[in-house]
Amino acid sequence: MVIPHGSSVYSYHLQTAFAACPVAEFLNQDPDSAKIVPYFGAMLEGEPLPENGSVVLDAAKSGFGVTLVREGLRRPYERPAEESEANAAQNRNGLPDPPLGFGFY
């Protein structure tokens, strides 16, 4: 039996796919533990929450079934536009060759 620690929308999919994961751990994020609140707060739209001891995933939703709420997002640090563009280019074109002597990043 496997019980992923700190389950959320990302581990629920694993748990529904494998019989060896029959139980999910839910970490209650409410400061008073008085109500069930989303693990990721307001950052994700559509995050499934436990009801009566179960989590039901919507098979009609693609991917993990959640949407990132972009309003209010900010970088934790400043990043020059040139660095952002270089990173975006790498994402579009694949990673460059690794530095000499290393086979991984």
Side-chain angles (χ1 to χ4, degrees):
M1 179 180 339
V2 176
I3 303 173
H5 176 65
S7 295
S8 70
V9 65
Y10 300 110
S11 61
Y12 295 153
H13 285 73
L14 169 87
Q15 290 164 296
T16 58
F18 293 99
C21 296
V23 179
E25 176 187 39
F26 182 79
L27 300 177
N28 195 345
Q29 301 296 316
D30 182 54
D32 299 323
S33 297
K35 59 185 175 185
I36 302 293
V37 297
Y39 187 82
F40 291 97
M43 194 165 66
L44 297 177
E45 183 179 297
E47 185 175 349
L49 297 175
E51 290 185 35
N52 299 318
S54 296
V55 172
V56 177
L57 301 179
D58 186 348
K61 293 182 177 180
S62 63
F64 288 105
V66 294
T67 303
L68 178 65
V69 176
R70 295 184 178 271
E71 292 96 34
L73 284 182
R74 62 174 182 76
R75 289 191 174 278
Y77 55 89
E78 290 299 317
R79 183 175 189 181
E82 301 82 30
E83 186 179 327
S84 291
E85 180 50 41
N87 189 60
Q90 282 183 352
N91 289 338
R92 285 191 298 271
N93 302 323
L95 293 172
D97 292 333
L100 290 176
F102 297 96
F104 55 89
Y105 287 90

